[in-house]
Amino acid sequence: MSEERKIACITGGSRGIGLGCALELAKAGCDIIINGTSELAKVQPALDEIKACGVNAYFYRFDVSNSEAVEENINKIIEEHGKIDILVNNAGITSDGLFVRMSPEQWEKVININLSSAFYVTHSVVKHMMKARRGSIVNMSSVVGISGNAGQANYSASKAGLIGLTKSLAKELGSRNIRVNAVAPGFINTKMTESLDPTKMLDLIPLKRLGEVEDIAKTVKFLAMDADYITGQVVKVDGGLMI
Ligand code: NAP
């Protein structure tokens, strides 16, 4: 049974949006590989939750911004599981601050973890997808990658970069039957946004609520598994914030 199942790899799948995507893809019958930098003991409850969907779930601990660690771990995943059908480049951080006070380290850390990581992971995964002549990649961008945001020059640039990467790869890999799309979430209820005051946002959001992890996960599942003729798109999932 399990050889016939699709295998989905979600970077930063240990909590928040990434875990939501892992659960949605597990409910659709995919075996799941999640990644993060935390220790296995901390991630075990997430693995158990995914396995409760009736699929296999595995955790690979590595820093997505370390190109050597990425190559080593993706090769190990392919060796141990044979393939990756779906890749969700989701791992990401913020390190906000006004541009004039932003240090080069603050810039580089966010660009490396949010954007260069997608280059490293996709680069290692895509050669196997090309051999298989099929695959689907979803990059986790953000609405601020489209609009920009004061205090988030590093984060917005990284998320805009992911959109450029998505469109370029869609053009380059389409002939190999590999689709590449991006999701641009608005304000979603996770650890990343816990310090924001939601009441200030609600005036700006036509649907009058923050997004939930499931709102993003359902869109990722659609793009990854159902959207056979969609590639190079950036789908905003923001309750109408960007209208
Ligand atoms: P979160 O709850 O903070 O989760 C981030 C995930 O990324 C965790 O699993 C974390 O695992 C992992 N991660 C962080 N640095 C990593 C690294 N160097 N290597 C590997 N994994 C790493 O954040 P979230 O809100 O779910 O966000 C997920 C994605 O959605 C991010 O790309 C974020 O930019 C994007 N997004 C979020 C929102 C929002 O409103 N929440 C809006 C737009 C876009 P460890 O801690 O174990 O490393």
Side-chain angles (χ1 to χ4, degrees), residues 143-165:
V143 290
V144 304
I146 300 165
S147 64
N149 199 19
Q152 288 197 307
N154 50 0
Y155 183 78
S156 302
S158 72
K159 295 300 182 180
L162 282 175
I163 292 174
L165 180 70

Side-chain angles (χ1 to χ4, degrees), residues 12-17 35-38 62-64 90-93 113 140-142 155 159 185-188 190-193:
S14 57
R15 63 166 188 266
I17 291 173
N35 139 275
T37 58
S38 300
F62 60 95
D63 177 350
V64 287
N90 164 80
I93 60 159
I113 293 179
M140 198 58 67
S141 181
S142 164
Y155 183 78
K159 295 300 182 180
F187 293 107
I188 313 301
T190 68
K191 191 164 183 270
M192 189 176 269
T193 49

Side-chain angles (χ1 to χ4, degrees), residues 192-221:
M192 189 176 269
T193 49
E194 67 191 359
S195 60
L196 302 176
D197 175 3
T199 51
K200 285 192 183 148
M201 316 288 171
L202 292 183
D203 277 351
L204 306 169
I205 302 174
L207 288 181
K208 298 296 166 210
R209 66 172 178 89
L210 294 196
E212 298 299 331
V213 158
E214 293 74 22
D215 295 313
I216 307 304
K218 284 178 190 162
T219 311
V220 168
K221 188 260 170 187

Side-chain angles (χ1 to χ4, degrees), residues 96-110:
D96 298 348
L98 288 179
F99 181 72
V100 284
R101 293 203 204 116
M102 191 173 282
S103 66
E105 293 74 26
Q106 219 176 335
W107 170 266
E108 281 157 17
K109 191 168 183 202
V110 170

Side-chain angles (χ1 to χ4, degrees), residues 61-80:
R61 186 183 183 199
F62 60 95
D63 177 350
V64 287
S65 68
N66 177 332
S67 62
E68 284 167 16
V70 168
E71 196 178 1
E72 193 181 303
N73 278 277
I74 296 295
N75 286 343
K76 203 165 156 212
I77 291 169
I78 297 288
E79 247 172 64
E80 291 173 1

